[in-house]
Amino acid sequence: MVGILMFESVSEIDLTRFEVSAPAILTLMAMPMTFSISTGIGIGLIALTVISLGTMNRKGKASAVTELHREFEEDPPARPRDLTPFTYALAIIFLLHFFEKWLFKVMEK
């Protein structure tokens, strides 16, 4: 029942915007594949963070593609400055959690 209620919001995902649809689809795919809601959310959050950082050029501003995209839409894509420090911290925590076993093996040697 919870899965059915969660799946109702899938129709609201804007599939025309990569920076919105990619993390959402990764989250949707990861949840049933890993049998874990938290793992799916973590993968989606990491993808959102990486994609938002990838749309930034070296000077810390949005890339030309993002600016062009922004001209034609009311709702601009997520930019690194749009994400809160909590979002970045949570993405780093999930990343450390996913590589926890590997990190401990490396630290033991």
Side-chain angles (χ1 to χ4, degrees):
M1 187 65 180
V2 173
I4 292 170
L5 293 174
M6 287 173 60
F7 211 71
E8 287 179 358
S9 61
V10 172
S11 64
E12 298 174 14
I13 298 172
D14 185 7
L15 296 176
T16 60
R17 294 179 48 206
F18 177 76
E19 64 278 353
V20 173
S21 62
I25 290 172
L26 282 172
T27 302
L28 284 171
M29 290 172 47
M31 283 182 191
M33 287 183 181
T34 62
F35 299 105
S36 173
I37 293 173
S38 63
T39 302
I41 291 172
I43 290 171
L45 187 63
I46 292 169
L48 174 68
T49 306
V50 169
I51 290 171
S52 70
L53 288 173
T55 60
M56 183 175 70
N57 64 16
R58 291 184 187 158
K59 296 180 181 176
K61 297 180 180 177
S63 66
V65 174
T66 306
E67 289 299 327
L68 180 65
H69 195 267
R70 210 175 276 131
E71 289 179 18
F72 295 103
E73 289 193 9
E74 299 171 3
D75 189 20
R79 297 169 293 190
R81 64 177 169 234
D82 291 341
L83 299 179
T84 64
F86 179 74
T87 306
Y88 289 114
L90 201 56
I92 290 169
I93 290 169
F94 268 117
L95 200 58
L96 290 172
H97 172 68
F98 293 151
F99 291 106
E100 180 180 12
K101 291 181 182 177
W102 180 78
L103 287 172
F104 280 126
K105 283 183 182 178
V106 169
M107 290 167 44
E108 286 177 359
K109 292 182 180 181

